[in-house]
Amino acid sequence: MGRGYDGFMVVRADTKLDARALRADFPILAQEINGKPLAYLDSAVTAQKPRQMLEAMAQFYETSYANVHRGVYALAERATEGFEGAREKVARFVNAPSSREVIFTRNATEALNLVAYAWGLTNLRPGDLVVVSELEHHSNFVPWQYIAKRTGAGFRMIPLTEGGELDLETLDGFAAEGEIKVVATNLVSNALGTINPVERLSAWAHDQGAIMVVDAAQGAPHRAIDVQALGCDFLAFSAHKMCGPSGVGALWGRRGLLEQMEPFNLGGHMIKKVQFEETTWGELPHKFEAGTSPIAEAVGFGAAVDYLNAIGLDAIEQHEHELLSHALERLGEVPGILLYGPPADRRAGIVSFNMDGVHPHDVAQVLDWEGVAIRAGHHCCQPLMQRLGVAATNRASFYLYTVPEEIDRLAEGLHRVRKVFG
Ligand SMILES: Cc1ncc(COP(=O)(O)O)c(C=O)c1O
């Protein structure tokens, strides 16, 4: 296996997954909705859960549950081993040099807020610039906009090309406007599926003396990630989008930066010594994990990582790529469909579209009658919607358990929408 551009693994043709067989692992997919088999095409918002992950959590609760890093009794040690074992798995999943650099958070949003507050408040000042992109989810946009305002730093957006990709020609213009201190972009756009050139952006950010913050909420579930190859400084992701439970996510950060940073949340567990006069902070990762952690959720996160690794991230990427090509073809046949985003070879398994003259919510409603679940809305990407000149889009998104027949049902449902609305 070689490395592709942006540190992604090159997909091997001999690794195929059997989505039909894998569906047996997902009890929720076996049901009917509105009298039709459920076609769940909203995995970008959250992924469904395999039995193996659910059982790992149940077993942990039934046999090994206690608080972690607190008790000296055997059960507490077992719980701590389960929790720290999960951290090791998550660290290996993104090829982190050390598991101490992996902080468990509530989700990707909290991980990005952690960096914005704990790094940004101390290091940004007037004359500095924070550069995000027009393609950001609000989670990697609003915290930076807010911290820039609080510190007096400037806030800029890398614009999009007509094709829905970052316009890198604009980068050097920012350098003339101030001292660039932060570049923050996603690896994969949740709204358009665009795969962003993070390796290149990291190199550019470092040339400017800036840190590179990567929102991998949509990248981590779908393709192999190597933080060392990406060259970034921070990377955030959520377990619930990668077959894990809700309530837990992770931030990977470079040790040197994490060590210099002030804590984000304060309280129990994150301290070294507390006295009336002063409190000192614990070692990594504890400094950033105040209070009781999402313990069983972290164990579920580790089990989800095991599940994805057993299938193979390259096989998942290949499968989604085939689904995407199929979807672009089938949706292209529906009269009045406007498709957004780059060509199939530069995007993940996400299709955003609108139907001429029909509100996205109406489209999603008619599809729901057919048992087809897709998202309609701004996808927490209002700056992008503004750029596209729409209030909302429809979005279908795929995962390892999606089969082509579900995409065919989406296309047939859209033909029906066309008939209903004329
Ligand atoms: C690209 C991207 N970033 C960040 C997030 C936020 O993830 P969470 O809600 O799990 O914090 C999402 C969720 O949709 C996303 O798609």
Side-chain angles (χ1 to χ4, degrees), residues 88-352:
E88 294 281 343
K89 290 178 189 182
V90 172
R92 276 198 298 275
F93 188 73
V94 295
N95 198 25
S98 160
S99 64
R100 282 185 172 272
E101 298 176 336
V102 171
I103 295 150
F104 283 126
T105 59
R106 274 192 306 138
N107 46 36
T109 302
E110 189 179 60
L112 293 163
N113 272 274
L114 191 163
V115 184
Y117 274 87
W119 192 90
L121 276 183
T122 315
N123 291 290
L124 293 172
R125 52 191 59 83
D128 293 341
L129 282 187
V130 176
V131 178
V132 299
S133 90
E134 207 168 16
L135 207 45
E136 292 320 298
H137 188 282
H138 296 163
S139 295
N140 199 28
F141 188 100
V142 182
W144 292 115
Q145 183 187 46
Y146 177 76
I147 296 296
K149 210 162 257 175
R150 287 248 323 242
T151 56
F155 181 67
R156 299 286 185 277
M157 235 174 22
I158 305 170
L160 286 187
T161 63
E162 283 302 312
E165 294 177 274
L166 302 189
D167 184 355
L168 301 183
E169 302 283 301
T170 61
L171 290 182
D172 289 335
F174 297 126
E177 291 186 59
E179 198 171 332
I180 300 169
K181 285 285 183 63
V182 179
V183 180
T185 71
N186 57 48
L187 185 54
V188 172
S189 152
N190 62 306
L192 299 184
T194 311
I195 299 166
N196 287 316
V198 162
E199 228 172 33
R200 198 168 150 194
L201 285 165
S202 292
W204 180 76
H206 291 155
D207 282 349
Q208 313 302 312
I211 59 164
M212 179 73 202
V213 181
V214 177
D215 169 4
Q218 294 297 340
H222 305 286
R223 41 194 67 232
I225 286 188
D226 179 339
V227 290
Q228 300 183 52
L230 288 172
C232 55
D233 299 295
F234 295 97
L235 184 120
F237 49 113
S238 286
H240 71 93
K241 291 185 195 285
M242 38 194 290
C243 296
S246 55
V248 66
L251 174 71
W252 168 80
R254 274 186 204 280
R255 189 178 192 143
L257 291 169
L258 290 171
E259 279 172 347
Q260 284 162 21
M261 279 154 61
E262 293 295 314
F264 176 46
N265 289 317
L266 305 155
H269 183 64
M270 49 75 67
I271 53 87
K272 186 182 279 169
K273 190 165 187 188
V274 181
Q275 289 180 308
F276 177 70
E277 297 78 15
E278 195 192 16
T279 296
T280 52
W281 317 131
E283 300 291 322
L284 292 177
H286 312 296
K287 179 170 95 171
F288 293 107
E289 292 184 351
T292 295
S293 291
I295 304 166
E297 288 80 359
V299 169
F301 195 174
V305 161
D306 286 343
Y307 184 79
L308 297 185
N309 283 338
I311 296 167
L313 269 292
D314 42 1
I316 294 172
E317 182 183 355
Q318 163 111 351
H319 175 67
E320 290 178 16
H321 184 72
E322 286 167 13
L323 293 169
L324 174 72
S325 300
H326 183 60
L328 291 178
E329 196 181 316
R330 290 303 316 268
L331 267 59
E333 295 161 4
V334 181
I337 287 280
L338 183 59
L339 290 160
Y340 303 102
D345 63 330
R346 296 202 294 283
R347 83 197 235 181
I350 291 176
V351 183
S352 252

Side-chain angles (χ1 to χ4, degrees), residues 50-66 75 78-79 82-83 89 295-303 306:
R51 219 183 287 273
Q52 291 85 335
M53 190 285 288
L54 299 170
E55 281 168 5
M57 281 182 80
Q59 197 193 19
F60 181 77
Y61 270 128
E62 286 171 9
T63 64
S64 310
Y65 183 73
L75 191 62
R78 200 186 300 162
F83 181 71
K89 290 178 189 182
I295 304 166
E297 288 80 359
V299 169
F301 195 174
D306 286 343

